[in-house]
């Protein structure tokens, strides 16, 4: 028996694989510090939980509209107007079972064999695999630490062909935390204005997690001429610490929203009714709790950046947002561990750190830029200090 050709084109998510590995090691009683998972350690705010409990009591436990309740769509319309200066009608909003599902639906609804999708690297692990599953071809633009992990307009221009279907822009970025300013987005937008056949997937999942007063911008807002062909994707997972509730959403052209709804009607049907009610509360509620959480993340970022830059052979840029750092370590490749193993790839480095330091991170190759690793600092300062100390010790032991 064989699985489908489409399934054979994709890999299991490397980040989820590391998360399961850490669960397993912890179950065996091993003192491992997991810095691999992409989720806030904070809890879902109480007012959101209360709204969900209330929804259950009120009997909101049945099917809803396939692509979202009118209440949630209205809350999303209001959010886009309030935070992004974007005007959408209800038929321009789609609600899906998590941000990953938004991506999956959008790409599977639009990509044909031979279509190209431009993905800046390093990238969130799901972009290329979903493109491949849909039958398309990812086209990568390399943007390393030297250019602050951001693509340049000339790189974008060079990557666009007649077959380009989508360009993905993710700011702040998973896995680097890099964020594009309005001016940087405008420069990329000027390139895209010259190529009217290209759709834009703006993944704004980390919109609210930005530091040092960095101002969030999204391309449909900065370049109104691109509004008609931009899908502005977002979700409640990261800002509201609701990764388990599985609600993602997007605003975009009505034809695309309708296409996503058609696919959803024959796959998952509506996103969880209770999670939708909770998301209405999250989006409409008092947003002030975010400030405190972002301040905590910023302190952790500074701690981790400073400690990792003390490692000989490691360079850790200071990101503008999200809760990841992406240190590079070309100088450590080729070194030998105390057990005599030569480290030849970042995957081997991650295995060494897991075995010797009991710290779990994810290797850069999974995100398309090596040798590097992604560290999620969404955990306490005490654990981060311990983890970085272990990394320092393990790296200092390399010869
Ligand atoms: C950039 C980016 N977009 C979208 C998502 C999807 O989030 P979820 O499916 O958990 O809502 C993630 C999650 O890691 C992400 O990092």
């Amino acid at each position: 028996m064989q699985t489908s050709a489409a399934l054979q084109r994709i890999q299991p998510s490397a980040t989820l694989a590391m998360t399961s590995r850490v669960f397993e090691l912890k179950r065996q009683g091993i003192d491992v510090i997991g810095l691999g998972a992409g989720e806030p350690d904070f809890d879902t705010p109480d007012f959101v939980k209360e709204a969900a409990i209330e929804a259950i009591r009120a009997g909101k436990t049945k099917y809803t509209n396939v692509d979202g309740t009118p209440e949630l769509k209205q809350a999303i319309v209001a959010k886009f107007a309030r935070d992004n200066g974007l005007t959408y009608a209800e038929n321009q909003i789609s609600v899906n079972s998590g941000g990953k599902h938004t991506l999956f639906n959008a790409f599977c609804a639009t990509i044909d064999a031979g279509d190209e999708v431009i993905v800046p690297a390093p990238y969130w692990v799901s972009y290329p695999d979903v493109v491949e599953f849909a039958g398309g071809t990812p086209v990568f633009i390399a943007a390393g630490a030297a250019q602050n992990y951001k693509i340049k307009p000339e790189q974008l221009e060079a990557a666009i062909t007649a077959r380009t279907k989508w360009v993905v822009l993710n700011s702040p970025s998973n896995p680097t935390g890099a964020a594009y300013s309005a001016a940087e987005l405008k420069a990329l937008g000027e390139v895209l204005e010259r190529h009217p056949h290209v759709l834009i997937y703006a993944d704004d999942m980390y919109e609210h997690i930005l530091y040092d007063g960095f101002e969030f911008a999204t391309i449909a807002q900065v370049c109104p001429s691109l509004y008609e062909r931009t899908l502005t994707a977002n979700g409640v997972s990261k800002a509201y610490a609701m990764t388990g509730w599985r609600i993602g959403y997007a605003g975009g052209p009505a034809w695309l929203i309708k296409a996503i709804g058609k696919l959803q009607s024959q796959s998952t049907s509506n996103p969880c009714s209770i999670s939708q009610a909770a998301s209405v509360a999250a989006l409409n509620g008092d947003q002030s709790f975010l400030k405190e959480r972002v301040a905590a993340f910023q302190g952790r970022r500074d701690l981790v950046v400073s400690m990792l830059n003390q490692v000989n052979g490691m360079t850790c840029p200071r990101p503008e947002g999200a809760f990841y750092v992406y240190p590079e370590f070309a100088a450590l490749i080729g070194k030998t561990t105390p057990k005599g193993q030569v480290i030849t790839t970042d995957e081997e480095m991650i295995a060494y750190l897991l075995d010797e330091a009991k710290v779990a991170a994810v290797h850069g190759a999974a995100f398309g830029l090596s040798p590097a690793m992604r560290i999620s600092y969404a955990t306490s300062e005490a654990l981060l200090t311990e983890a970085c100390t272990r990394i320092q010790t393990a790296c200092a032991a390399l010869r």
Side-chain angles (χ1 to χ4, degrees), residues 157-353:
E157 182 70 66
I160 295 174
T161 72
R163 307 182 90 168
T164 306
K165 188 84 188 203
W166 288 93
V167 170
V168 174
L169 292 175
N170 170 216
S171 171
S173 148
N174 175 4
T176 66
Y180 289 90
S181 68
E184 287 165 335
L185 284 178
K186 186 139 187 52
L188 296 176
E190 279 164 12
V191 172
L192 292 164
E193 278 165 4
R194 293 196 284 275
H195 302 279
H197 66 291
V198 176
L199 293 165
I200 301 131
Y201 194 93
D203 187 337
D204 297 347
M205 186 55 87
Y206 297 90
E207 166 179 15
H208 293 295
I209 307 174
L210 277 164
Y211 312 122
D212 307 316
F214 192 97
E215 272 198 37
F216 179 78
T218 191
I219 194 146
Q221 169 193 29
V222 172
C223 301
S225 61
L226 301 176
Y227 169 88
E228 282 300 336
R229 51 191 169 101
T230 299
L231 190 68
T232 305
N234 210 318
V236 296
S237 293
K238 314 287 172 163
Y240 303 96
M242 291 175 69
T243 46
W245 299 71
R246 311 309 304 136
I247 297 291
Y249 60 83
W255 70 266
L256 180 56
I257 295 299
K258 194 171 162 195
I260 289 173
K262 182 177 172 187
L263 179 57
Q264 191 154 294
S265 78
Q266 292 294 13
S267 49
T268 58
S269 293
N270 63 274
C272 169
S273 59
I274 299 149
S275 298
Q276 288 192 71
S279 299
V280 172
L283 292 175
N284 286 346
D286 182 358
Q287 309 288 304
S288 59
F289 74 96
L290 273 168
K291 211 170 158 194
E292 201 177 302
R293 294 185 175 190
V294 171
F297 277 138
Q298 182 168 326
R300 296 164 179 189
R301 175 202 62 171
D302 292 341
L303 169 78
V304 168
V305 167
S306 147
M307 288 190 76
L308 293 179
N309 275 320
Q310 287 164 24
V311 175
N312 244 338
M314 201 171 271
T315 310
C316 184
R318 183 180 304 268
E320 293 92 359
F323 38 72
Y324 309 107
V325 288
Y326 202 73
E328 297 191 356
F329 45 82
L332 298 177
I333 298 298
K335 298 230 177 217
T336 307
T337 70
K339 287 185 182 154
Q341 191 215 340
V342 179
I343 291 184
T344 63
T345 62
D346 54 21
E347 195 161 8
E348 288 173 8
M349 179 68 151
I350 290 305
Y352 169 65
L353 290 177

Side-chain angles (χ1 to χ4, degrees), residues 119-125 128 140-143 175 326 346 363-370 372:
V119 179
Y123 45 73
W124 175 40
V125 292
F140 301 111
I141 301 179
Y326 202 73
D346 54 21
H363 59 292
F367 307 99
L369 193 112
S370 290

